[in-house]
Amino acid sequence: PRQHRLIGHVPLYFFVRPLAVIDPRSYLGLRLKDDLVLELLEMNDLEIQYAIDLLHENIPDAYWIKAAELGFTLKADEFQVIVCAFVYLRPNEGHQSFDGIMPGIDIVNGSIPALGQPSKTGKYQDTSWVRYDKTDISINLSIDSVGPKMICLMLPSQVPRP
């Protein structure tokens, strides 16, 4: 259903969408001022946090949208384009477990069979990971001793290269 809300004297139109159908992939590649992103912010009372390189280490500025109650965080680059989505599969770092829908991403025994063979695998401390690089997205699944922990969805431009 369409709803109308006035902000000052400017009407803001948005669609109300049940939380269960939010797929964090739908935000990748969008600008922070895109209507879908503005709807997410408005409907969930979220804020954008701006992170700058205070130590002058030539790290690009970034923007963060922490949707802790929805179970994910979005990262935008210095051009205000959303480039990563961190999806929490169980409560962690102040986030609830993601309870939405991500078609095609069904985890079975620490992998995502629908995506085929992983492009890369690795281990860091007590967490192992598998990454699937596709033409339009890279999907990184982190697994610890408890099981699947988090999925990082990235635009291909964000994939670490050797």
Side-chain angles (χ1 to χ4, degrees), residues 4-12:
H4 173 257
R5 173 182 260 178
L6 283 176
I7 296 180
H9 296 303
V10 180
L12 173 67

Side-chain angles (χ1 to χ4, degrees), residues 21-107:
V21 299
I22 291 178
D23 183 344
R25 290 178 293 189
S26 62
Y27 298 103
L28 292 177
L30 298 182
R31 296 187 53 80
L32 292 177
K33 293 181 183 177
D34 186 277
D35 288 341
L36 190 61
V37 177
L38 293 175
E39 175 187 322
L40 173 72
L41 295 168
E42 179 69 23
M43 294 300 299
N44 298 286
D45 196 26
L46 302 174
E47 295 179 354
I48 298 172
Q49 297 175 349
Y50 179 53
I52 61 173
D53 181 12
L54 293 173
L55 300 177
H56 306 286
E57 297 176 303
N58 293 323
I59 298 170
D61 295 351
Y63 299 84
W64 297 89
I65 300 173
K66 184 176 180 179
E69 290 183 14
L70 301 176
F72 64 89
T73 289
L74 302 174
K75 177 189 177 193
D77 64 11
E78 67 271 27
F79 305 109
Q80 299 184 8
V81 174
I82 296 174
V83 294
C84 294
F86 302 92
V87 181
Y88 294 82
L89 302 176
R90 59 178 194 256
N92 192 13
E93 298 178 6
H95 287 77
Q96 299 295 322
S97 178
F98 178 72
D99 194 26
I101 298 170
M102 291 190 293
I105 301 182
D106 295 315
I107 302 166

Side-chain angles (χ1 to χ4, degrees), residues 75-160:
K75 177 189 177 193
D77 64 11
E78 67 271 27
F79 305 109
Q80 299 184 8
V81 174
I82 296 174
V83 294
C84 294
F86 302 92
V87 181
Y88 294 82
L89 302 176
R90 59 178 194 256
N92 192 13
E93 298 178 6
H95 287 77
Q96 299 295 322
S97 178
F98 178 72
D99 194 26
I101 298 170
M102 291 190 293
I105 301 182
D106 295 315
I107 302 166
V108 179
N109 297 325
S111 68
I112 306 171
L115 298 178
Q117 286 293 108
S119 306
K120 194 162 186 170
T121 62
K123 187 170 176 93
Y124 178 75
Q125 296 177 349
D126 66 340
T127 301
S128 60
W129 53 268
V130 293
R131 190 175 76 213
Y132 301 87
D133 296 325
K134 302 299 178 189
T135 56
D136 59 340
I137 192 170
S138 282
I139 300 170
N140 192 62
L141 172 63
S142 298
I143 306 127
D144 63 13
S145 61
V146 177
K149 179 178 177 181
M150 180 171 58
I151 294 176
C152 179
L153 308 165
M154 299 173 278
L155 292 179
S157 62
Q158 300 302 300
V159 175

